[in-house]
Amino acid sequence: ELQQKAEETELLKVELQMLETERVRLSLVEEKLMDVLQLLQQLRDLNISKRALGKILLSTLESCRDPQPGKAHLFEVLDTLYQELTACKLLQSQPMEKAQSRQSLSNPLVISC
């Protein structure tokens, strides 16, 4: 009975470790998603065309067509989209003080379903 309890304890430790790993992964995905959403909000405020935004999205999806081994595909897509959005000329030409004032807002993103 004591050995069975020890085995159960060990299994619970392994499960707890897996849950903690998953929590960290989800936290990283959430952080990257918030970064992407903030960039999309800035581009919307700068009146980016739907066509230009579509090109950015298609470029992202094309470059993430084949997932890289050892890297979470969702995070890879979000990271690539973030890089594509930051490379957008419209954001790069935006005055610096305007970008900083937007970032100082508490959280301008509201997601409604």
Side-chain angles (χ1 to χ4, degrees), residues 21-39 72 74-79 82 107 109 111:
T21 302
E22 184 66 10
R23 187 192 66 77
V24 169
R25 186 188 72 78
L26 288 173
S27 178
L28 291 173
V29 167
E30 180 184 25
E31 191 175 301
K32 187 57 75 174
L33 181 59
M34 287 302 297
D35 292 343
V36 166
L37 289 173
Q38 286 176 343
L39 287 173
L74 174 63
F75 190 79
E76 180 184 354
V77 172
L78 283 173
D79 192 44
Y82 177 80
N107 190 352
L109 299 175
I111 300 173

mmCIF file of all heavy atoms in Angstrom, residues 21-39 72 74-79 82 107 109 111:
data_model
loop_
_atom_site.group_PDB
_atom_site.id
_atom_site.type_symbol
_atom_site.label_atom_id
_atom_site.label_comp_id
_atom_site.label_asym_id
_atom_site.label_seq_id
_atom_site.Cartn_x
_atom_site.Cartn_y
_atom_site.Cartn_z
ATOM 1 N N THR A 21 4.235 23.112 -17.526
ATOM 2 C CA THR A 21 4.821 23.346 -18.840
ATOM 3 C C THR A 21 3.768 23.891 -19.810
ATOM 4 O O THR A 21 4.027 24.838 -20.561
ATOM 5 C CB THR A 21 5.419 22.039 -19.403
ATOM 6 O OG1 THR A 21 6.404 21.561 -18.489
ATOM 7 C CG2 THR A 21 6.045 22.244 -20.761
ATOM 8 N N GLU A 22 2.587 23.324 -19.780
ATOM 9 C CA GLU A 22 1.498 23.776 -20.646
ATOM 10 C C GLU A 22 1.059 25.196 -20.286
ATOM 11 O O GLU A 22 0.773 26.015 -21.150
ATOM 12 C CB GLU A 22 0.313 22.810 -20.542
ATOM 13 C CG GLU A 22 -0.834 23.130 -21.460
ATOM 14 C CD GLU A 22 -0.522 22.980 -22.936
ATOM 15 O OE1 GLU A 22 0.543 22.445 -23.297
ATOM 16 O OE2 GLU A 22 -1.345 23.408 -23.757
ATOM 17 N N ARG A 23 1.035 25.500 -18.998
ATOM 18 C CA ARG A 23 0.670 26.841 -18.545
ATOM 19 C C ARG A 23 1.659 27.872 -19.078
ATOM 20 O O ARG A 23 1.269 28.941 -19.567
ATOM 21 C CB ARG A 23 0.618 26.902 -17.016
ATOM 22 C CG ARG A 23 0.088 28.230 -16.487
ATOM 23 C CD ARG A 23 0.321 28.391 -14.996
ATOM 24 N NE ARG A 23 1.722 28.490 -14.644
ATOM 25 C CZ ARG A 23 2.475 29.584 -14.803
ATOM 26 N NH1 ARG A 23 1.969 30.667 -15.352
ATOM 27 N NH2 ARG A 23 3.731 29.591 -14.434
ATOM 28 N N VAL A 24 2.938 27.556 -19.010
ATOM 29 C CA VAL A 24 3.968 28.466 -19.513
ATOM 30 C C VAL A 24 3.817 28.653 -21.019
ATOM 31 O O VAL A 24 3.894 29.770 -21.532
ATOM 32 C CB VAL A 24 5.381 27.945 -19.150
ATOM 33 C CG1 VAL A 24 6.460 28.716 -19.886
ATOM 34 C CG2 VAL A 24 5.601 28.010 -17.650
ATOM 35 N N ARG A 25 3.577 27.562 -21.740
ATOM 36 C CA ARG A 25 3.411 27.638 -23.199
ATOM 37 C C ARG A 25 2.220 28.527 -23.558
ATOM 38 O O ARG A 25 2.305 29.385 -24.425
ATOM 39 C CB ARG A 25 3.229 26.239 -23.790
ATOM 40 C CG ARG A 25 3.193 26.223 -25.314
ATOM 41 C CD ARG A 25 2.825 24.854 -25.854
ATOM 42 N NE ARG A 25 1.430 24.533 -25.645
ATOM 43 C CZ ARG A 25 0.424 25.003 -26.390
ATOM 44 N NH1 ARG A 25 0.664 25.825 -27.382
ATOM 45 N NH2 ARG A 25 -0.825 24.655 -26.154
ATOM 46 N N LEU A 26 1.117 28.328 -22.860
ATOM 47 C CA LEU A 26 -0.078 29.135 -23.127
ATOM 48 C C LEU A 26 0.149 30.599 -22.773
ATOM 49 O O LEU A 26 -0.353 31.498 -23.453
ATOM 50 C CB LEU A 26 -1.279 28.578 -22.365
ATOM 51 C CG LEU A 26 -1.837 27.267 -22.903
ATOM 52 C CD1 LEU A 26 -2.921 26.731 -21.968
ATOM 53 C CD2 LEU A 26 -2.370 27.429 -24.310
ATOM 54 N N SER A 27 0.906 30.841 -21.748
ATOM 55 C CA SER A 27 1.224 32.212 -21.366
ATOM 56 C C SER A 27 2.035 32.904 -22.459
ATOM 57 O O SER A 27 1.793 34.071 -22.789
ATOM 58 C CB SER A 27 1.998 32.201 -20.046
ATOM 59 O OG SER A 27 2.347 33.496 -19.671
ATOM 60 N N LEU A 28 2.989 32.194 -23.040
ATOM 61 C CA LEU A 28 3.788 32.751 -24.134
ATOM 62 C C LEU A 28 2.928 33.024 -25.366
ATOM 63 O O LEU A 28 3.077 34.059 -26.021
ATOM 64 C CB LEU A 28 4.925 31.798 -24.496
ATOM 65 C CG LEU A 28 6.034 31.652 -23.463
ATOM 66 C CD1 LEU A 28 7.001 30.546 -23.868
ATOM 67 C CD2 LEU A 28 6.774 32.962 -23.282
ATOM 68 N N VAL A 29 2.018 32.109 -25.674
ATOM 69 C CA VAL A 29 1.116 32.295 -26.813
ATOM 70 C C VAL A 29 0.217 33.504 -26.568
ATOM 71 O O VAL A 29 0.017 34.334 -27.461
ATOM 72 C CB VAL A 29 0.278 31.020 -27.073
ATOM 73 C CG1 VAL A 29 -0.864 31.291 -28.035
ATOM 74 C CG2 VAL A 29 1.163 29.905 -27.615
ATOM 75 N N GLU A 30 -0.306 33.632 -25.361
ATOM 76 C CA GLU A 30 -1.177 34.766 -25.029
ATOM 77 C C GLU A 30 -0.426 36.085 -25.157
ATOM 78 O O GLU A 30 -0.954 37.062 -25.708
ATOM 79 C CB GLU A 30 -1.712 34.607 -23.603
ATOM 80 C CG GLU A 30 -2.616 35.740 -23.179
ATOM 81 C CD GLU A 30 -3.060 35.615 -21.736
ATOM 82 O OE1 GLU A 30 -2.358 34.970 -20.928
ATOM 83 O OE2 GLU A 30 -4.113 36.187 -21.408
ATOM 84 N N GLU A 31 0.806 36.116 -24.700
ATOM 85 C CA GLU A 31 1.616 37.329 -24.784
ATOM 86 C C GLU A 31 1.859 37.722 -26.241
ATOM 87 O O GLU A 31 1.714 38.889 -26.624
ATOM 88 C CB GLU A 31 2.945 37.081 -24.068
ATOM 89 C CG GLU A 31 3.770 38.307 -23.850
ATOM 90 C CD GLU A 31 5.003 37.983 -23.028
ATOM 91 O OE1 GLU A 31 4.853 37.497 -21.892
ATOM 92 O OE2 GLU A 31 6.113 38.202 -23.544
ATOM 93 N N LYS A 32 2.213 36.738 -27.070
ATOM 94 C CA LYS A 32 2.471 37.015 -28.487
ATOM 95 C C LYS A 32 1.186 37.445 -29.197
ATOM 96 O O LYS A 32 1.194 38.341 -30.034
ATOM 97 C CB LYS A 32 3.074 35.780 -29.166
ATOM 98 C CG LYS A 32 3.530 36.008 -30.581
ATOM 99 C CD LYS A 32 4.548 37.121 -30.722
ATOM 100 C CE LYS A 32 5.901 36.711 -30.235
ATOM 101 N NZ LYS A 32 6.950 37.718 -30.496
ATOM 102 N N LEU A 33 0.069 36.833 -28.834
ATOM 103 C CA LEU A 33 -1.218 37.204 -29.422
ATOM 104 C C LEU A 33 -1.572 38.647 -29.078
ATOM 105 O O LEU A 33 -2.051 39.396 -29.931
ATOM 106 C CB LEU A 33 -2.317 36.245 -28.941
ATOM 107 C CG LEU A 33 -3.713 36.479 -29.492
ATOM 108 C CD1 LEU A 33 -3.728 36.388 -31.016
ATOM 109 C CD2 LEU A 33 -4.680 35.479 -28.902
ATOM 110 N N MET A 34 -1.323 39.054 -27.849
ATOM 111 C CA MET A 34 -1.600 40.443 -27.455
ATOM 112 C C MET A 34 -0.727 41.412 -28.245
ATOM 113 O O MET A 34 -1.197 42.474 -28.673
ATOM 114 C CB MET A 34 -1.386 40.631 -25.951
ATOM 115 C CG MET A 34 -2.475 40.004 -25.101
ATOM 116 S SD MET A 34 -4.126 40.620 -25.476
ATOM 117 C CE MET A 34 -3.968 42.339 -25.051
ATOM 118 N N ASP A 35 0.539 41.053 -28.471
ATOM 119 C CA ASP A 35 1.426 41.895 -29.276
ATOM 120 C C ASP A 35 0.887 42.047 -30.700
ATOM 121 O O ASP A 35 0.867 43.145 -31.250
ATOM 122 C CB ASP A 35 2.844 41.307 -29.320
ATOM 123 C CG ASP A 35 3.554 41.364 -27.974
ATOM 124 O OD1 ASP A 35 3.112 42.121 -27.082
ATOM 125 O OD2 ASP A 35 4.550 40.637 -27.818
ATOM 126 N N VAL A 36 0.448 40.937 -31.284
ATOM 127 C CA VAL A 36 -0.101 40.960 -32.641
ATOM 128 C C VAL A 36 -1.368 41.808 -32.687
ATOM 129 O O VAL A 36 -1.551 42.632 -33.588
ATOM 130 C CB VAL A 36 -0.366 39.520 -33.149
ATOM 131 C CG1 VAL A 36 -1.234 39.516 -34.395
ATOM 132 C CG2 VAL A 36 0.945 38.805 -33.417
ATOM 133 N N LEU A 37 -2.238 41.646 -31.702
ATOM 134 C CA LEU A 37 -3.479 42.420 -31.673
ATOM 135 C C LEU A 37 -3.212 43.914 -31.523
ATOM 136 O O LEU A 37 -3.900 44.741 -32.128
ATOM 137 C CB LEU A 37 -4.396 41.923 -30.554
ATOM 138 C CG LEU A 37 -5.027 40.552 -30.787
ATOM 139 C CD1 LEU A 37 -5.773 40.088 -29.535
ATOM 140 C CD2 LEU A 37 -5.947 40.570 -31.981
ATOM 141 N N GLN A 38 -2.212 44.276 -30.745
ATOM 142 C CA GLN A 38 -1.870 45.691 -30.602
ATOM 143 C C GLN A 38 -1.369 46.272 -31.919
ATOM 144 O O GLN A 38 -1.729 47.403 -32.280
ATOM 145 C CB GLN A 38 -0.836 45.879 -29.497
ATOM 146 C CG GLN A 38 -1.425 45.710 -28.111
ATOM 147 C CD GLN A 38 -0.384 45.790 -27.012
ATOM 148 O OE1 GLN A 38 0.812 45.656 -27.270
ATOM 149 N NE2 GLN A 38 -0.840 45.998 -25.795
ATOM 150 N N LEU A 39 -0.558 45.495 -32.638
ATOM 151 C CA LEU A 39 -0.091 45.969 -33.943
ATOM 152 C C LEU A 39 -1.247 46.107 -34.925
ATOM 153 O O LEU A 39 -1.310 47.074 -35.693
ATOM 154 C CB LEU A 39 0.969 45.020 -34.501
ATOM 155 C CG LEU A 39 2.335 45.070 -33.825
ATOM 156 C CD1 LEU A 39 3.233 43.969 -34.363
ATOM 157 C CD2 LEU A 39 2.982 46.431 -34.023
ATOM 158 N N ALA A 72 6.250 24.910 -31.654
ATOM 159 C CA ALA A 72 4.791 24.888 -31.670
ATOM 160 C C ALA A 72 4.294 25.682 -32.880
ATOM 161 O O ALA A 72 4.675 26.841 -33.066
ATOM 162 C CB ALA A 72 4.238 25.466 -30.379
ATOM 163 N N LEU A 74 1.375 26.980 -33.701
ATOM 164 C CA LEU A 74 0.594 28.174 -33.390
ATOM 165 C C LEU A 74 1.505 29.337 -33.030
ATOM 166 O O LEU A 74 1.343 30.451 -33.528
ATOM 167 C CB LEU A 74 -0.380 27.888 -32.241
ATOM 168 C CG LEU A 74 -1.175 29.080 -31.714
ATOM 169 C CD1 LEU A 74 -2.082 29.638 -32.807
ATOM 170 C CD2 LEU A 74 -1.985 28.691 -30.509
ATOM 171 N N PHE A 75 2.477 29.075 -32.182
ATOM 172 C CA PHE A 75 3.404 30.136 -31.784
ATOM 173 C C PHE A 75 4.229 30.599 -32.978
ATOM 174 O O PHE A 75 4.498 31.785 -33.136
ATOM 175 C CB PHE A 75 4.315 29.668 -30.644
ATOM 176 C CG PHE A 75 5.113 30.791 -30.052
ATOM 177 C CD1 PHE A 75 4.531 31.673 -29.159
ATOM 178 C CD2 PHE A 75 6.431 30.975 -30.405
ATOM 179 C CE1 PHE A 75 5.259 32.725 -28.629
ATOM 180 C CE2 PHE A 75 7.166 32.025 -29.884
ATOM 181 C CZ PHE A 75 6.576 32.899 -28.985
ATOM 182 N N GLU A 76 4.612 29.665 -33.828
ATOM 183 C CA GLU A 76 5.384 30.008 -35.022
ATOM 184 C C GLU A 76 4.589 30.953 -35.930
ATOM 185 O O GLU A 76 5.117 31.948 -36.430
ATOM 186 C CB GLU A 76 5.752 28.736 -35.777
ATOM 187 C CG GLU A 76 6.559 28.976 -37.034
ATOM 188 C CD GLU A 76 6.823 27.706 -37.821
ATOM 189 O OE1 GLU A 76 6.477 26.605 -37.360
ATOM 190 O OE2 GLU A 76 7.368 27.827 -38.925
ATOM 191 N N VAL A 77 3.310 30.660 -36.129
ATOM 192 C CA VAL A 77 2.464 31.513 -36.969
ATOM 193 C C VAL A 77 2.312 32.897 -36.341
ATOM 194 O O VAL A 77 2.457 33.914 -37.023
ATOM 195 C CB VAL A 77 1.084 30.865 -37.201
ATOM 196 C CG1 VAL A 77 0.136 31.822 -37.900
ATOM 197 C CG2 VAL A 77 1.225 29.576 -38.017
ATOM 198 N N LEU A 78 2.041 32.940 -35.035
ATOM 199 C CA LEU A 78 1.889 34.235 -34.360
ATOM 200 C C LEU A 78 3.181 35.042 -34.423
ATOM 201 O O LEU A 78 3.159 36.253 -34.656
ATOM 202 C CB LEU A 78 1.466 34.037 -32.907
ATOM 203 C CG LEU A 78 0.015 33.682 -32.666
ATOM 204 C CD1 LEU A 78 -0.218 33.357 -31.194
ATOM 205 C CD2 LEU A 78 -0.903 34.806 -33.103
ATOM 206 N N ASP A 79 4.300 34.380 -34.207
ATOM 207 C CA ASP A 79 5.589 35.064 -34.229
ATOM 208 C C ASP A 79 5.887 35.605 -35.626
ATOM 209 O O ASP A 79 6.334 36.744 -35.778
ATOM 210 C CB ASP A 79 6.689 34.109 -33.769
ATOM 211 C CG ASP A 79 7.996 34.821 -33.497
ATOM 212 O OD1 ASP A 79 7.965 35.894 -32.855
ATOM 213 O OD2 ASP A 79 9.048 34.311 -33.926
ATOM 214 N N TYR A 82 3.664 38.559 -36.300
ATOM 215 C CA TYR A 82 4.181 39.714 -35.559
ATOM 216 C C TYR A 82 5.340 40.354 -36.334
ATOM 217 O O TYR A 82 5.386 41.574 -36.490
ATOM 218 C CB TYR A 82 4.636 39.272 -34.160
ATOM 219 C CG TYR A 82 5.249 40.383 -33.355
ATOM 220 C CD1 TYR A 82 4.446 41.315 -32.700
ATOM 221 C CD2 TYR A 82 6.628 40.523 -33.253
ATOM 222 C CE1 TYR A 82 5.002 42.344 -31.966
ATOM 223 C CE2 TYR A 82 7.188 41.544 -32.521
ATOM 224 C CZ TYR A 82 6.373 42.454 -31.877
ATOM 225 O OH TYR A 82 6.930 43.482 -31.152
ATOM 226 N N ASN A 107 -5.242 49.337 -22.001
ATOM 227 C CA ASN A 107 -5.382 48.235 -22.958
ATOM 228 C C ASN A 107 -6.515 48.602 -23.901
ATOM 229 O O ASN A 107 -7.683 48.367 -23.618
ATOM 230 C CB ASN A 107 -5.679 46.909 -22.254
ATOM 231 C CG ASN A 107 -5.575 45.752 -23.223
ATOM 232 O OD1 ASN A 107 -5.427 45.955 -24.420
ATOM 233 N ND2 ASN A 107 -5.667 44.554 -22.712
ATOM 234 N N LEU A 109 -7.410 47.263 -26.540
ATOM 235 C CA LEU A 109 -7.989 46.149 -27.267
ATOM 236 C C LEU A 109 -9.177 45.576 -26.516
ATOM 237 O O LEU A 109 -9.075 45.198 -25.361
ATOM 238 C CB LEU A 109 -6.956 45.038 -27.462
ATOM 239 C CG LEU A 109 -5.732 45.447 -28.260
ATOM 240 C CD1 LEU A 109 -4.726 44.320 -28.276
ATOM 241 C CD2 LEU A 109 -6.115 45.816 -29.665
ATOM 242 N N ILE A 111 -12.032 42.636 -27.175
ATOM 243 C CA ILE A 111 -12.441 41.563 -28.070
ATOM 244 C C ILE A 111 -13.887 41.224 -27.748
ATOM 245 O O ILE A 111 -14.219 40.880 -26.620
ATOM 246 C CB ILE A 111 -11.570 40.319 -27.899
ATOM 247 C CG1 ILE A 111 -10.120 40.686 -28.201
ATOM 248 C CG2 ILE A 111 -12.038 39.191 -28.798
ATOM 249 C CD1 ILE A 111 -9.132 39.594 -27.906
#
